[in-house]
Amino acid sequence: MPAAQHIERDQDLAMSSDELLQAQLELYHHGLAFVKSLALKAATDLRIPDTIHRRGGAATLSELASDTGIHPTKRSNLRRVMRVLTTTGVFSIVQGKGSNDHAGDGAAYYKLTRVSRLLVERSPHNLSPMVGTIVNTLCWTSLLKMPEWFTQGQEGESAQSHSLVQLANGCTFWDTTKVDGGLFNDGMAADSRIAMKVLLKEHGGAFGEVKSSLVDIGGNHGATASAVARAFPHLKCTVLDLAHVVAAAPASDILTFVAGNMFEYVPPADAVLLKWILHDWKHEDCVKIMRRCKEAIPAKEAGGKVIIIDMVVGYPVTQPNDSIEAQVLLDIYMMGSDGMEREENVWSLIFSEAGFSDYKITPTNGIRSIIEVYP
Ligand SMILES: C[S@@+](CC[C@H](N)C(=O)[O-])C[C@H]1O[C@@H](n2cnc3c(N)ncnc32)[C@H](O)[C@@H]1O
């Protein structure tokens, strides 16, 4: 490029002092976003939400420190972590009238917010296992490999045939769930308990109209299917999952567990449920799974359908910004293991390639939608 053009381009980089400082602030803010995740993980692992709850909903720093076993030399550091978490809305802080002590907390009380109420172990909405499922070394080591992964590949292979998880850890994501001490399964069960409570209450019709049987594919330990079976006792509910997952599932008198591979066989039923399954897989695999589902259900006129609970990125367009941001962040998390979060046009392509004729999307107030797909 001629020198004059360089100079002209460099002028594009010029900024006023205010712009420069604002840009620097924004860059540091983005770069440090990981600290929020790690502070959340620390507070969850230290069971700070449980301590606040046990103490009647408010606790001082000294109480948090003594109840959670914080070493006396680290107490002021706990305050710093709590400052991040109150600034980001995970906890709230109420200033008391006492004078400030060495740690600077004075008579301040920390309280739960709607976010940290989800992290109290005895809550029926306890979502704390999901924090460990999202914030973990596997995910970090994988995503740190992004620049290397993006520039690797061989002719003829699909862009994602070697996942970030494989590149960073030498094994697949599903291999890691076999040896994580149940962390992943606990996270899934916690998510299902909350999601299904709301979905069945607000959008139960999608399940209520199923004639007499439903099979939950990749149904893990049955948290989702149990909720459906309890809400709609007329449904005979079956859970299909991999053999090692089914072997560790708790006994149930309302569910039938089947060990198997969804790429090979889906047990016949009036409806097939896929909650948080297709986002784990690349396009061609989703088409294969959907074809198996189609073989398992009756025709549309006879009530056959597939019910998918997953994200439809950017749908509806009126979603709040934090919902869209969570969707696109989760998409990158899923990229680590070859999965993806999809826009409506991509879902539509999967359905038509798998031979389905129609679908209906019902958005929820959360980040996921219910997609009913008809043969
Ligand atoms: C992201 S989890 C979703 C679990 C559950 N549906 C939920 O939402 O809580 C994906 C599930 O798919 C299962 N799975 C993975 N590969 C499978 C396969 N080939 N056949 C059947 N299940 C599989 C996993 O064991 C896991 O339980």
Side-chain angles (χ1 to χ4, degrees):
M1 189 186 291
Q5 271 186 28
H6 263 305
I7 292 167
E8 207 172 289
R9 288 269 161 88
D10 289 351
Q11 281 167 355
D12 292 347
L13 301 175
M15 280 191 252
S16 71
S17 300
D18 281 351
E19 274 181 313
L20 205 50
L21 290 177
Q22 182 59 32
Q24 188 186 37
L25 183 155
E26 287 175 28
L27 185 74
Y28 290 174
H29 194 228
H30 293 312
L32 290 165
F34 73 96
V35 176
K36 294 193 232 176
S37 307
L38 295 181
L40 174 67
K41 169 102 167 72
T44 307
D45 288 357
L46 288 166
R47 307 250 43 102
I48 286 174
D50 288 328
T51 303
I52 297 176
H53 180 65
R54 249 194 329 269
R55 291 227 172 226
T60 64
L61 191 72
S62 310
E63 289 168 343
L64 290 182
S66 66
D67 289 8
T68 56
I70 302 290
H71 193 273
T73 58
K74 306 281 166 55
R75 208 183 119 193
S76 59
N77 297 312
L78 177 64
R79 177 181 166 268
R80 295 159 71 186
V81 172
M82 292 305 287
R83 185 167 60 183
V84 169
L85 293 167
T86 52
T87 304
T88 52
V90 175
F91 298 105
S92 64
I93 183 165
V94 180
Q95 295 296 341
K97 292 206 177 89
S99 58
N100 274 1
D101 64 6
H102 168 69
D105 70 328
Y109 284 93
Y110 293 95
K111 294 185 152 196
L112 299 174
T113 62
R114 62 182 175 193
V115 179
S116 42
R117 258 181 250 145
L118 290 181
L119 302 174
V120 173
E121 201 159 16
R122 54 178 288 118
S123 161
H125 309 129
N126 174 23
L127 204 48
S128 55
M130 236 5 228
V131 174
T133 305
I134 295 171
V135 188
N136 59 47
T137 317
L138 176 87
C139 177
W140 282 60
T141 51
S142 304
L143 295 187
L144 280 168
K145 286 277 182 189
M146 264 198 276
E148 197 180 323
W149 178 76
F150 268 116
T151 51
Q152 279 184 1
Q154 286 169 11
E155 287 303 319
E157 76 177 11
S158 85
Q160 299 188 350
S161 61
H162 294 292
S163 71
L164 279 157
V165 170
Q166 278 170 316
L167 179 64
N169 302 280
C171 60
T172 70
F173 177 77
W174 300 115
D175 291 334
T176 70
T177 63
K178 289 181 195 161
V179 290
D180 70 358
L183 179 78
F184 177 74
N185 294 337
D186 290 349
M188 289 302 110
D191 176 80
S192 286
R193 277 191 297 271
I194 294 188
M196 294 315 290
K197 183 176 172 179
V198 178
L199 292 186
L200 289 168
K201 185 169 168 217
E202 308 294 337
H203 309 284
F207 297 91
E209 67 192 25
V210 177
K211 217 185 249 171
S212 64
S213 59
L214 176 137
V215 57
D216 184 9
I217 301 302
N220 203 256
H221 284 181
T224 305
S226 299
V228 175
R230 275 194 295 270
F232 299 104
H234 75 280
L235 288 179
K236 180 181 171 319
C237 292
T238 302
V239 171
L240 175 96
D241 211 301
L242 297 169
H244 72 275
V245 178
V246 168
S252 167
D253 46 15
I254 50 172
L255 301 177
T256 305
F257 282 92
V258 175
N261 180 349
M262 63 191 168
F263 287 97
E264 290 164 7
Y265 173 70
V266 169
D270 292 314
V272 172
L273 173 60
L274 295 163
K275 174 181 170 280
W276 252 7
I277 298 300
L278 297 180
H279 82 154
D280 292 332
W281 301 96
K282 55 192 174 203
H283 190 96
E284 310 84 272
D285 289 332
C286 290
V287 174
K288 280 183 203 154
I289 296 167
M290 287 299 284
R291 282 195 184 126
R292 289 281 168 266
C293 294
K294 187 163 176 278
E295 287 161 9
I297 54 175
K300 182 180 182 185
E301 302 70 40
K305 67 174 168 179
V306 178
I307 304 171
I308 297 171
I309 300 174
D310 235 319
M311 287 178 197
V312 181
V313 175
Y315 186 96
V317 282
T318 50
Q319 279 181 105
N321 269 350
D322 56 353
S323 173
I324 293 177
E325 191 172 333
Q327 290 180 339
V328 298
L329 293 178
L330 202 69
D331 177 50
I332 299 300
Y333 178 93
M334 296 313 301
M335 193 168 79
S337 52
D338 269 0
M340 78 186 292
E341 304 299 345
R342 301 177 161 89
E343 284 91 356
E344 183 184 353
N345 62 328
V346 187
W347 280 116
S348 168
L349 214 56
I350 290 173
F351 303 150
S352 59
E353 282 176 31
F356 287 83
S357 65
D358 199 7
Y359 64 90
K360 179 175 102 183
I361 301 177
T362 308
T364 69
N365 280 337
I367 50 175
R368 280 173 291 210
S369 292
I370 300 175
I371 317 173
E372 291 162 85
V373 194
Y374 304 99

